[in-house]
Amino acid sequence: MIKFYLSFTRYLSVLLVCMTLTSYAQQRSVSGKVTSADDGSAIPGANILEKGTTNGTATDANGEFKLSVGDNAILVVSFVGYKTQEVVVGAQSAINIVLTSDITSLSEVVVVGYGQQEKKDVTGVVAAVGTQEFNRGVISSPQDMLIGKVAGVQITTNNGSPGAGSTIRIRGNGSATGSSDPLIVIDGFPVDNTSTAGVSNPLSTLNPNDIETFTVLKDASATAIYGMRAANGVIIITTKKGKEGRAQINYNGTLTASSPMKYFEVMSGDQFRKAVADELAAGLTGLSASAQKLLGTANTDWQKQIYQTAISQDHNLSVSGTYKDMPYRISYGYTDQEGILKTTNFIRNSININLNPTFLDGDLAVTASFKGMNTKQNFGNFGAVGAAISFDPTQPVYNGNKDWGGYFTYTKQLLANGQVDPEGDPITIGVANPMALLYQTDNRSDVYRGIGNLKIDYRLKFLRELKLTVNAGFDYSSSVGHNNSPYNAAFTYGNGLGAAQDYRGQNRSRLLDLYGNYTKQLNKHKIDITAGYSFQQFERFGSNFSRSAPPTFAQWQAGHYYSDPSYFYYGKTQPPAVNYTDYQVNPDGSKGARAYVPYYNTLLSFFGRLNYTFADKYLLTVSFRDDASSRFAAQNRFKIFPSAAVGWKVSQESFMQYIKVISDLKLRASYGLTGNQDVGGTYPYLPIYQLSNAQAQYQFGSGFVNTWRPNPFDPTFKWETTKQLDVGFDFGILNNRITGTFDVYQKKAEDLINFIPVAAGSNFSNYLTTNVGSMENKGIEFSLKALAVKTNELEWNIGFNISHNENKVTKLLKVDDPNYPGVLVGGISGGVGTTIQNIQVGYPINTFFVYQQIYDTQGKPIEGLYVDKTGQGGNITASNSNKFHYFKPQPDILMGINSRVTYKNWDFFFQGRFSFGNYVYNNNQSSKAYYTAMYNQAGFFNN
């Protein structure tokens, strides 16, 4: 395979050289400078082309150029965001050219995989969002700026904590049990979606203020060049670069206040006491007069206790300009975001350096960038959120007990008057005091991350059509963290007293891209060829261990019992010396030294793309990537992911010249394959032996020893593959004052991973993780942008998008089995191992899987009574056979809207997002909204 590509590269080089043998005599030299009409500044990188030829150059960092041309030459001068200008050379030898802004144009150049492309020539589904369109407000993570901006892209914040991550889905879920996350590429560097321990969101380490554009690649034509990482779409992030001119210093800062807008409705202390009395009088099972004595006299609103008005600040300082012909931009950002849940906090310090020098009259361009970040995060204890809804509102926050930090705690022991003994042993199955959960938890991380890139572009002197690129980079992150609770935290009692957990992690990734781009205009034919090689290696290391926290000397003197026998110190003079830093508790209960577990993964790829344009009307794009991943066996390691797309610029046809209202119309169609290699764990094709635990030992005489047991494995295990078809069009109306896109697509994912039953004896287990499933997404997308008003002082831009996606699982087993229950997912409280969702053939992924409630004649639900769908009677909830599929979490329709009005130096911005047809399961009401759960026989009340 490698020999083939080396030979192919040599033949391609010879062909490219031969294509330049046809030349013409150069007769005169012309020089000049290109500047902007807006402020007179020089424009580096402007394209200068002798019309009707391939002879051209680009302006250097000072906007200057020199070019040898023939007689009667006409120069075609173009640059992104400016109107293209034609200049007759005549007898001139020095020409100064002034370009004016083109306010009606779309972004003329968009970022695609391994290069850029003029938007008018793009055949794939590519959506770009720039700084003027970003969401404003409290933005701590980059993905928040993109919410609601692109049709078919759903971004759901995982929780409300500062620095929290988001679930990003492009055109629906792409996998059943594997990852459905898109590939993220930052300044040409594909980053690892797997973050180190202590990072809730890998994107939170990137300062949003340093981002210039987001480009979303959605269809196979746009994404296939990224191969087996592109099945779920690609998001390309480009950071801000330096600009030519004098040094400019910019500062922006925000100060924000956040607070809860609504609380979950629960009983107050008075309401709860009355409800207990009413149920006691009605004979509620389990309630008694002695149980009623456990109630307190307080009226504690636990939700208002745990939440706060959070004050956050964000400051950004940047310096950009040109130093000795080298454009640069250096920025520093500081974010301090408080969470509305007390004790939670996110602090980020970041620095971004971009240097963009050019050499050899602009033929050699260097882009050097470094992004360094440090985040410190206090995660708090999210258990307090649920506890605040459930905890007894008749009890106070504090009761002055000596053992449990002063926080009220339900205990097993009672006083003579029937009240809770504040110094008794905690009831371990009860809900913990929410304030104790917050203030007796120390859950923090400290993370460093650095992403560096060096990109070198060189345009050959003897072959101006060919540009060679070397892109090398690294991504390094390191984290340390802990999650500790003191010895007197009652909520740790069941697992030994106190808790001490610490973790460390390191992720390293290295990248090397080598590729070339050849562009040639031959009369009506234009070709743009990109071909190259990519190597990326990932290394991940980590350790994580937990143990009970050793008591203080005073606590030890008190002589309490600890569930770990080694902590039973009563009657002794001093506790034993134990080094808790260097030792961990292994799964079998033995003590062992801290150990890092490494994981390596390598990707080796060859890729190529051909863009062909005829008469500036008819477009063809063909791309491929031949990927190899070390995660799969040798026979499955290489896979080619091809794609093809066609386009027709209808607006360029002669018959359209009479339809003045339509300024742009392009029809598109594409089909291709992409892959997903984020499936199945580390090396799922390898046979691995695992040491048994204490419950699976073998007896030799009077002793027991652990055994090594083989894990199930599949030597044919491979990636998931997605086939995608897309048909759509782009349009512009009224000289592109109104622009939009419309697409219809179908995605079929195959070889999805599932954990399925297999015949006994065919493997080392009766279950096996293997490629077996399939799933389909199909939908439509529509987006619209309008420049509603444009004057010298006032501008009003409006954006709107809407999309519809239908998801259906089509296969889960090798052989269809009507009795197969599917995959149970979506764990909920209210029982051990209880789930609420199901992955099953014929239904959308993760459809809710529930019992059908029976109601009384007044339309009220009868507690604990459900429809017997099997007709077998007995315990209806004893199996899943009485459940049915009911609603889904995916929306039928996603919609986004935004508006931006600028008047002189003022602007007003708003944005909104909407989803329709999706459902959320309310586990609070399902597990806490019935009276029989008010009192637990262990001796405590629930709200």
Side-chain angles (χ1 to χ4, degrees):
M1 181 67 71
I2 294 176
K3 289 182 179 179
F4 167 77
Y5 281 106
L6 291 176
S7 299
F8 172 77
T9 303
R10 284 196 290 267
Y11 291 138
L12 178 61
S13 300
V14 173
L15 175 63
L16 294 178
V17 172
C18 291
M19 294 175 69
T20 64
L21 295 181
T22 302
S23 60
Y24 45 87
Q26 307 294 341
Q27 298 178 358
R28 56 185 306 156
S29 179
V30 177
S31 61
K33 186 173 184 179
V34 180
T35 58
S36 170
D38 295 334
D39 54 9
S41 62
I43 301 179
N47 293 314
I48 315 293
L49 180 68
E50 183 179 357
K51 189 174 182 179
T53 74
T54 58
N55 179 40
T57 187
T59 57
D60 61 18
N62 298 317
E64 298 176 348
F65 70 93
K66 176 183 277 189
L67 183 66
S68 294
V69 298
D71 291 335
N72 304 316
I74 298 176
L75 299 183
V76 180
V77 186
S78 62
F79 189 68
V80 177
Y82 291 86
K83 294 180 179 178
T84 299
Q85 190 174 144
E86 293 188 1
V87 180
V88 178
V89 175
Q92 303 176 83
S93 60
I95 303 176
N96 292 322
I97 303 166
V98 180
L99 296 183
T100 58
S101 299
D102 186 359
I103 62 172
T104 62
S105 69
L106 296 168
S107 298
E108 293 185 6
V109 174
V110 293
V111 178
V112 294
Y114 304 98
Q116 296 179 327
Q117 195 173 356
E118 292 187 73
K119 186 173 179 63
K120 64 184 180 66
D121 293 336
V122 172
T123 55
V125 185
V126 178
V129 180
T131 53
Q132 298 297 321
E133 302 169 285
F134 289 160
N135 293 333
R136 312 304 202 260
V138 185
I139 304 294
S140 63
S141 297
Q143 74 275 355
D144 295 342
M145 299 190 295
L146 196 58
I147 292 175
K149 286 293 181 294
V150 180
V153 178
Q154 182 182 15
I155 302 177
T156 307
T157 305
N158 294 339
N159 58 63
S161 65
S166 295
T167 299
I168 304 175
R169 295 292 178 262
I170 299 177
R171 294 184 166 182
N173 284 72
S175 179
T177 59
S179 173
S180 291
D181 296 332
L183 174 67
I184 307 293
V185 181
I186 302 176
D187 284 339
F189 192 104
V191 297
D192 190 356
N193 283 338
T194 303
S195 58
T196 59
V199 180
S200 59
N201 172 20
L203 279 179
S204 67
T205 56
L206 183 62
N207 186 353
N209 287 276
D210 289 328
I211 295 176
E212 183 74 35
T213 60
F214 286 94
T215 304
V216 182
L217 313 182
K218 294 191 282 188
D219 75 327
S221 174
T223 62
I225 200 166
Y226 286 106
M228 68 170 63
R229 291 185 285 178
N232 300 310
V234 180
I235 298 178
I236 300 177
I237 298 176
T238 304
T239 59
K240 296 175 181 177
K241 305 295 190 296
K243 296 182 179 179
E244 192 275 338
R246 294 182 301 173
Q248 294 185 355
I249 300 176
N250 290 281
Y251 164 79
N252 68 72
T254 60
L255 182 66
T256 61
S258 308
S259 61
M261 296 181 64
K262 191 176 182 180
Y263 297 97
F264 199 86
E265 294 184 9
V266 294
M267 293 183 183
S268 67
D270 290 338
Q271 291 172 329
F272 194 82
R273 280 183 287 266
K274 182 179 184 304
V276 170
D278 292 345
E279 293 301 318
L280 179 61
L284 180 67
T285 304
L287 269 179
S288 63
S290 59
Q292 190 178 21
K293 291 182 180 180
L294 296 175
L295 294 174
T297 59
N299 274 287
T300 304
D301 189 330
W302 291 102
Q303 293 181 87
K304 291 186 178 179
Q305 289 288 333
I306 67 170
Y307 292 121
Q308 65 181 353
T309 297
I311 306 298
S312 303
Q313 54 182 318
D314 185 77
H315 305 276
N316 294 274
L317 180 66
S318 67
V319 181
S320 63
T322 303
Y323 176 75
K324 293 185 178 180
D325 297 332
M326 181 177 68
Y328 65 89
R329 183 180 184 273
I330 302 173
S331 68
Y332 167 75
Y334 173 78
T335 301
D336 185 351
Q337 184 181 7
E338 279 190 339
I340 60 173
L341 180 66
K342 290 178 179 177
T343 74
T344 60
N345 180 254
F346 174 81
I347 296 176
R348 177 182 56 224
N349 287 273
S350 64
I351 185 171
N352 187 32
I353 301 173
N354 272 311
L355 307 176
N356 313 102
T358 58
F359 308 94
L360 304 179
D361 296 326
D363 288 339
L364 179 64
V366 177
T367 301
S369 67
F370 175 77
K371 289 166 277 292
M373 308 71 112
N374 170 233
T375 61
K376 298 180 185 295
Q377 192 159 0
N378 188 339
F379 298 97
N381 191 327
F382 277 13
V385 176
I389 296 172
S390 301
F391 205 76
D392 185 350
T394 71
Q395 305 297 346
V397 176
Y398 307 99
N399 65 350
N401 70 73
K402 294 183 296 183
D403 285 347
W404 312 119
Y407 296 97
F408 173 82
T409 302
Y410 267 114
T411 62
K412 301 175 184 177
Q413 291 77 22
L414 302 178
L415 300 176
N417 60 2
Q419 298 295 308
V420 174
D421 180 2
E423 298 181 15
D425 295 331
I427 299 175
T428 57
I429 66 171
V431 179
N433 185 312
M435 294 295 281
L437 287 171
L438 289 179
Y439 288 100
Q440 289 189 298
T441 296
D442 182 16
N443 185 6
R444 303 170 186 268
S445 71
D446 194 351
V447 180
Y448 290 87
R449 186 178 190 183
I451 302 177
N453 260 77
L454 179 63
K455 181 182 177 185
I456 301 174
D457 296 308
Y458 179 63
R459 189 171 296 279
L460 300 183
K461 285 287 187 183
F462 62 89
L463 188 59
R464 305 299 298 168
E465 297 87 353
L466 180 62
K467 181 177 70 173
L468 303 178
T469 299
V470 177
N471 181 36
F474 68 89
D475 181 4
Y476 172 82
S477 59
S478 174
S479 65
V480 295
H482 60 262
N483 187 359
N484 298 336
S485 295
Y487 174 79
N488 60 352
F491 54 85
T492 68
Y493 183 82
N495 298 314
L497 292 180
Q501 176 191 16
D502 63 78
Y503 51 84
R504 301 176 184 177
Q506 284 187 18
N507 279 16
R508 296 196 290 254
S509 176
R510 294 175 291 175
L511 173 74
L512 176 63
D513 293 333
L514 303 171
Y515 57 94
N517 175 256
Y518 179 85
T519 305
K520 182 87 172 172
Q521 181 83 43
L522 295 172
N523 298 320
K524 293 184 178 182
H525 306 274
K526 179 183 177 181
I527 60 172
D528 184 338
I529 302 174
T530 298
Y533 160 86
S534 179
F535 169 87
Q536 190 165 9
Q537 185 177 68
F538 304 90
E539 301 174 17
R540 306 179 186 96
F541 308 85
S543 71
N544 186 336
F545 65 92
S546 305
R547 61 222 180 266
S548 297
T552 64
F553 185 76
Q555 292 166 340
W556 164 78
Q557 279 187 319
H560 290 288
Y561 176 80
Y562 312 100
S563 60
D564 184 338
S566 65
Y567 293 157
F568 188 72
Y569 303 136
Y570 187 75
K572 298 183 180 180
T573 58
Q574 61 182 4
V578 179
N579 186 338
Y580 290 97
T581 301
D582 296 330
Y583 283 81
Q584 64 178 339
V585 177
N586 292 324
D588 62 354
S590 63
K591 296 254 181 11
R594 176 198 300 273
Y596 280 91
V597 180
Y599 166 50
Y600 303 90
N601 181 34
T602 300
L603 294 173
L604 179 67
S605 311
F606 300 92
F607 58 86
R609 176 176 57 228
L610 166 66
N611 293 312
Y612 170 72
T613 303
F614 175 71
D616 199 29
K617 299 177 185 178
Y618 311 108
L619 311 171
L620 171 67
T621 300
V622 179
S623 67
F624 79 94
R625 187 179 183 105
D626 193 355
D627 258 338
S629 172
S630 63
R631 301 186 65 189
F632 309 114
Q635 66 269 24
N636 286 330
R637 193 153 289 166
F638 275 91
K639 171 70 175 180
I640 295 179
F641 297 93
S643 74
V646 293
W648 177 26
K649 296 182 185 178
V650 182
S651 55
Q652 296 294 96
E653 296 290 354
S654 57
F655 60 79
M656 291 293 294
Q657 62 182 321
Y658 304 107
I659 308 177
K660 301 297 184 182
V661 68
I662 298 179
S663 48
D664 183 40
L665 180 60
K666 179 175 64 177
L667 305 184
R668 298 175 281 99
S670 67
Y671 180 79
L673 275 65
T674 50
N676 180 15
Q677 63 115 30
D678 286 334
V679 291
T682 309
Y683 296 106
Y685 74 91
L686 289 176
I688 297 175
Y689 284 77
Q690 180 178 350
L691 188 65
S692 67
N693 56 29
Q695 284 71 43
Q697 294 179 322
Y698 192 85
Q699 184 174 4
F700 281 97
S702 59
F704 294 85
V705 297
N706 295 89
T707 60
W708 288 96
R709 299 183 298 175
N711 287 341
F713 72 100
D714 181 3
T716 65
F717 190 90
K718 60 183 180 181
W719 53 86
E720 299 176 340
T721 300
T722 296
K723 301 175 181 178
Q724 185 169 184
L725 172 67
D726 186 283
V727 177
F729 62 87
D730 305 327
F731 65 90
I733 301 174
L734 301 176
N735 200 24
N736 284 347
R737 293 288 291 266
I738 301 174
T739 61
T741 64
F742 178 84
D743 283 276
V744 179
Y745 63 87
Q746 181 184 54
K747 293 171 58 178
K748 291 186 177 181
E750 300 176 347
D751 295 324
L752 298 186
I753 304 305
N754 192 19
F755 189 61
I756 64 171
V758 294
S762 60
N763 210 293
F764 294 114
S765 170
N766 293 334
Y767 287 86
L768 180 66
T769 299
T770 186
N771 302 88
V772 67
S774 62
M775 184 170 58
E776 180 184 67
N777 285 281
K778 57 183 179 181
I780 58 175
E781 298 170 350
F782 175 71
S783 63
L784 192 69
K785 293 181 181 180
L787 180 58
V789 177
K790 176 63 180 179
T791 68
N792 291 334
E793 295 182 339
L794 176 66
E795 184 175 314
W796 181 17
N797 289 275
I798 304 171
F800 171 79
N801 66 79
I802 186 170
S803 60
H804 166 71
N805 183 77
E806 294 180 5
N807 173 274
K808 184 172 68 175
V809 178
T810 54
K811 185 179 180 183
L812 285 175
L813 299 174
K814 290 183 180 294
V815 179
D816 292 338
D817 181 359
N819 298 316
Y820 179 60
V823 183
L824 299 176
V825 294
I828 57 172
S829 62
V832 178
T834 307
T835 61
I836 195 60
Q837 290 171 295
N838 181 245
I839 303 175
Q840 182 60 287
V841 172
Y843 296 94
I845 190 171
N846 298 334
T847 297
F848 293 109
F849 197 45
V850 298
Y851 300 106
Q852 185 174 349
Q853 180 75 57
I854 294 179
Y855 297 83
D856 62 19
T857 56
Q858 285 76 40
K860 295 183 179 181
I862 302 174
E863 290 187 5
L865 195 59
Y866 307 98
V867 174
D868 180 8
K869 291 184 173 294
T870 64
Q872 298 177 357
N875 187 352
I876 304 298
T877 61
S879 71
N880 292 316
S881 57
N882 278 303
K883 290 184 177 181
F884 73 109
H885 294 88
Y886 189 61
F887 296 134
K888 57 185 175 59
Q890 298 88 11
D892 292 323
I893 295 177
L894 283 173
M895 188 185 303
I897 187 171
N898 60 85
S899 171
R900 182 173 185 265
V901 178
T902 58
Y903 177 70
K904 294 185 177 180
N905 292 326
W906 294 85
D907 70 354
F908 173 74
F909 175 91
F910 78 82
Q911 67 91 20
R913 56 169 170 163
F914 312 87
S915 63
F916 303 93
N918 55 305
Y919 284 77
V920 175
Y921 186 72
N922 193 330
N923 196 199
N924 288 309
Q925 288 193 346
S926 69
S927 60
K928 301 176 177 65
Y930 52 97
Y931 285 109
T932 55
M934 289 178 63
Y935 179 69
N936 188 288
Q937 294 296 317
F940 63 91
F941 281 94
N942 286 313
N943 204 351

